[in-house]
Amino acid sequence: MERTRWYKDAVFYQIWPRSFCDGNGDGIGDLWGVLGKLDYIASLGVTGIWFSPLYPSPQADFGYDIADYYDINPEYGTLDVFRQVLEGAHERGLRVIMDLVVNHTSDECAWFVQSRSSRDNRYADWYVWRDGRTPGAPEAGGTPPNNWDSLFEGDAWEYEPARDQWYLHIFAKKQPDLNMDNPEVRAEVERIMRFWLEMGVDGFREDVITYISKDPALPDDNPLKPAARGMRFYDHGPRVHEYLRQFRHNVLDAYDCMTVGEAPMISAQKALEYCAEGPEQELDMMFTFEHMGADCVVTDWIPRPFDLRAYKRALGRWQTGLAQDAWNSLYLENHDHPRIISRYGSERYRVESGKSLACSYLFLRGTPFVYQGQEIGMTNTYLTRVEDSADVSTFNQVARLRKMGVPEAACLRLANRATRDHARTPMQWSAEPGAGFVGGDGTAQPWFPINTNYRQINVAAAEEDPDSLLAFYREAIALRRRLPVVREGSYRELKQASAQLYAHVREGVGQKLLVVCSFTGRTAYFSAPGDLPLAEAELCLCGYEDAPTEGNAFFLRPYECRVYLWQEV
Ligand code: GLC
Ligand code: CA
């Protein structure tokens, strides 16, 4: 099958199903809700949808704990409804990619239920089982096989009396890691891929895919490491490339599909090992976290405060690091990060900073992803008690902080900085009660509290306002899609040292594009170099109504952004 690499012209919209739209009135987002919003999604100008997991799941990690890879969570619909969504999406020119979570399953997955029941059943070796270092149950003094931490819930090991053994869970206890070294497990992964590709889906987002191969010795890590002990023995593990090539050669190569891998702590250099184009290419692109201010030092996951220069350096490293050898993915938000306006922009200049942030990534080389609600500028929520969180990783971080003696008020503050709840509040469709999210007669309690700002910030209000962030996203996406330089051009940064502005130039195929974004609530000044004569350029996009210049320069109002184009150069 010839690979057309259609994804290079794609723009994706990510749906986190539980909070997108409730069609049947039980307060939980679902596929009936999605069906009613396909026109809206298409109206953004995007060309694809990534669905966070839709599969049956006990929802310990909201679908990232899969109980059945071949079905749809009954709360969300049925395979038939999914087929309708797929067909409706395809009719509108939207591709659909699924989340593929194969580092681990749910502990309620039938394979694990069997696996844990004895040492000699059909699935006995499908998970990572080991004897304890000291035998016996933990209550009787038994100790786990090594000193690794899980990322979501205490130690990385859980004891199973029926086997008198421990299973590995890099995430929560309810997310046992699969044993990818077992060829039967890999064959099953191939089956899962084929099942969805045969149904017509267009590819996969592959969850924590760089974790799937563990160092078989499972050695102890440095005991003094404060968190994420063990990671160096399973991230980019010894056989990860072999396995990904197997999946590509045995399955993916037979379809004109795309894959994007999630890799929590990867550098551009390392990403080339997975994504460089050529016969050995494993994945089409990677989701990096480098520009997200991730910090793995104190606990697993407290994001650092925003630093524009660090943001620019990270984006630049990936733009120039992958250059023509591999393809980037571009995103600012997803279901794992707080809202970007609250983090990197300004809630006071919500619309302006939302526009500037959009501009700062939508014209880079790569495939952009827009997360539900990002396009209307949804902002963070606020937890008044840690216990109000619905996020297993937040509880884990707070438990660690408490153990370290961090005072309760600080725990709450850090939880509010990091929690994934921010991205998971229900989508704000209108100012009606239930925010237009709750379906049916609209009276059900939404599964998670709606952000109280929904009366001001919602899709219906944005549709009425020609200067809304929503209108800007539509314009920016349309512009990106009609300019070949965005796909083909080189990347060069201007004013690299500026702590106020992010300015970059894309150049190629007879076009030059200048993107200038302000990240300050004060006035900033930008003077264009001589080879970019503003008087000869077309102003394609501006965050404000007008765009005055002075000579070959201009002042930027709070969080202003502009995009200039030169043709036939
Ligand atoms: C990925 C997902 C996240 C999930 C984790 C474990 O990071 O994006 O939501 O909790 O993997 O599956
Ligand atoms: Ca529902």
Side-chain angles (χ1 to χ4, degrees):
M1 160 78 61
E2 200 218 336
R3 307 196 61 226
T4 63
R5 299 194 187 273
W6 53 266
Y7 55 83
K8 294 191 175 179
D9 296 305
V11 180
F12 275 90
Y13 188 75
Q14 182 192 348
I15 292 183
W16 196 75
R18 202 167 194 80
S19 285
F20 183 65
C21 185
D22 167 30
N24 65 354
D26 63 357
I28 298 173
D30 54 49
L31 288 174
W32 299 285
V34 173
L35 268 180
K37 297 298 182 188
L38 287 175
D39 284 329
Y40 169 77
I41 297 168
S43 81
L44 301 173
V46 301
T47 62
I49 300 173
W50 152 29
F51 280 107
S52 276
L54 292 166
Y55 318 94
S57 157
Q59 306 290 329
D61 190 22
F62 296 114
Y64 286 90
D65 48 325
I66 299 176
D68 180 355
Y69 289 79
Y70 301 95
D71 206 347
I72 297 292
N73 174 10
E75 289 173 322
Y76 298 166
T78 60
L79 277 173
D80 275 339
V81 190
F82 178 73
R83 284 196 195 91
Q84 286 175 49
V85 168
L86 189 58
E87 205 176 297
H90 284 163
E91 275 165 14
R92 290 165 178 81
L94 301 168
R95 313 250 187 178
V96 172
I97 66 170
M98 297 296 267
D99 222 302
L100 182 78
V101 188
V102 293
N103 176 68
H104 44 267
T105 71
S106 163
D107 66 339
E108 296 181 32
C109 178
W111 313 331
F112 188 74
V113 173
Q114 288 259 332
S115 189
R116 77 188 314 173
S117 67
S118 70
R119 292 193 189 204
D120 54 7
N121 61 80
R122 160 142 170 42
Y123 296 95
D125 191 33
W126 276 45
Y127 294 83
V128 184
W129 291 103
R130 288 289 189 283
D131 294 337
R133 184 176 315 227
T134 327
E139 306 79 57
T143 55
N146 69 23
N147 71 350
W148 294 4
D149 287 322
S150 83
L151 300 179
F152 281 0
E153 220 173 1
D155 293 341
W157 296 94
E158 197 57 17
Y159 180 74
E160 171 53 58
R163 293 181 55 137
D164 184 23
Q165 277 189 317
W166 302 68
Y167 69 83
L168 177 70
H169 63 93
I170 290 175
F171 293 91
K173 290 178 192 161
K174 285 183 72 61
Q175 294 171 297
D177 281 57
L178 280 164
N179 174 17
M180 204 57 78
D181 296 336
N182 181 342
E184 283 182 29
V185 172
R186 301 201 298 281
E188 189 70 37
V189 172
E190 292 185 9
R191 258 196 296 280
I192 297 167
M193 288 177 156
R194 263 187 227 106
F195 176 82
W196 294 100
L197 290 167
E198 282 300 314
M199 195 184 298
V201 313
D202 301 286
F204 301 101
R205 176 266 189 190
E206 304 190 359
D207 191 65
V208 291
I209 200 65
T210 53
Y211 291 2
I212 59 173
S213 161
K214 280 84 184 169
D215 181 333
L218 302 173
D220 264 341
D221 203 346
N222 177 355
L224 298 177
K225 236 179 133 243
R229 270 195 309 255
M231 190 181 277
R232 63 196 172 101
F233 299 112
Y234 58 76
D235 194 14
H236 315 294
R239 297 176 69 185
V240 65
H241 295 296
E242 175 194 333
Y243 297 160
L244 292 177
R245 278 177 204 157
Q246 174 185 334
F247 300 149
R248 173 153 296 284
H249 293 149
N250 290 0
V251 184
L252 299 166
D253 274 346
Y255 302 84
D256 188 19
C257 63
M258 75 89 127
T259 51
V260 49
E262 184 209 24
M265 292 293 153
I266 200 171
S267 66
Q269 212 43 44
K270 195 91 188 149
L272 287 172
E273 293 175 15
Y274 295 85
C275 302
E277 288 175 20
E280 295 296 270
Q281 179 177 8
E282 296 157 19
L283 298 165
D284 293 316
M285 59 189 116
M286 227 20 142
F287 279 132
T288 167
F289 284 51
E290 286 202 321
H291 63 302
M292 298 308 287
D295 196 339
C296 215
V297 180
V298 183
T299 70
D300 304 318
W301 198 252
I302 306 279
R304 280 188 289 256
F306 181 55
D307 173 347
L308 178 62
R309 278 185 282 213
Y311 176 64
K312 296 197 290 186
R313 278 198 302 273
L315 292 178
R317 273 200 301 278
W318 282 76
Q319 289 294 301
T320 53
L322 301 193
Q324 303 297 316
D325 299 328
W327 191 248
N328 267 291
S329 72
L330 309 166
Y331 76 95
L332 293 179
E333 285 191 9
N334 63 33
H335 62 293
D336 289 332
H337 300 280
R339 292 287 180 178
I340 202 67
I341 288 173
S342 304
R343 283 188 71 194
Y344 283 16
S346 156
E347 290 185 7
R348 174 167 171 218
Y349 294 108
R350 186 181 66 84
V351 172
E352 293 83 353
S353 67
K355 291 178 181 177
S356 197
L357 280 159
C359 259
S360 76
Y361 90 111
L362 282 178
F363 298 100
L364 297 176
R365 187 168 188 276
T367 300
F369 289 74
V370 178
Y371 180 66
Q372 66 189 37
Q374 178 187 336
E375 77 279 19
I376 55 166
M378 282 176 61
T379 57
N380 281 355
T381 182
Y382 182 75
L383 300 175
T384 48
R385 303 177 318 152
V386 171
E387 290 65 33
D388 292 342
S389 175
D391 177 7
V392 57
S393 95
T394 302
F395 295 127
N396 189 50
Q397 283 155 31
V398 170
R400 280 223 169 104
L401 293 168
R402 285 178 181 151
K403 227 197 244 161
M404 287 157 63
V406 175
E408 210 39 44
C411 288
L412 181 62
R413 195 156 34 77
L414 288 169
N416 269 302
R417 170 127 59 95
T419 189
R420 302 185 298 177
D421 299 317
H422 294 306
R424 300 175 176 189
T425 62
M427 179 76 182
Q428 296 164 202
W429 293 101
S430 75
E432 309 281 301
F437 163 77
V438 180
D441 62 7
T443 55
Q445 275 294 328
W447 77 274
F448 193 78
I450 296 168
N451 193 315
T452 49
N453 63 22
Y454 77 92
R455 283 185 204 81
Q456 293 79 47
I457 304 173
N458 59 66
V459 173
E463 294 282 12
E464 295 298 304
D465 174 5
D467 295 324
S468 66
L469 183 58
L470 176 62
F472 189 86
Y473 263 97
R474 287 188 173 125
E475 268 184 80
I477 291 170
L479 178 62
R480 175 189 166 96
R481 288 182 56 199
R482 88 178 149 79
L483 296 179
V485 65
V486 178
R487 171 177 162 152
E488 306 293 339
S490 62
Y491 170 87
R492 165 162 67 98
E493 221 187 291
L494 303 175
K495 317 273 178 216
Q496 245 164 338
S498 170
Q500 296 186 311
L501 297 180
Y502 175 33
H504 66 266
V505 182
R506 307 291 319 279
E507 195 170 348
V509 288
Q511 300 180 322
K512 247 191 233 188
L513 196 71
L514 167 68
V515 181
V516 186
C517 308
S518 166
F519 281 82
T520 170
R522 304 210 190 104
T523 303
Y525 179 73
F526 175 81
S527 69
D531 66 324
L532 299 171
L534 297 177
E536 290 166 28
E538 175 196 342
L539 176 78
C540 297
L541 212 54
C542 176
Y544 283 72
E545 262 171 56
D546 58 349
T549 53
E550 291 184 21
N552 207 35
F554 53 90
F555 287 94
L556 291 103
R557 290 150 285 190
Y559 291 95
E560 181 171 348
C561 57
R562 297 187 188 186
V563 178
Y564 287 98
L565 173 69
W566 290 262
Q567 303 262 28
E568 284 156 42
V569 288

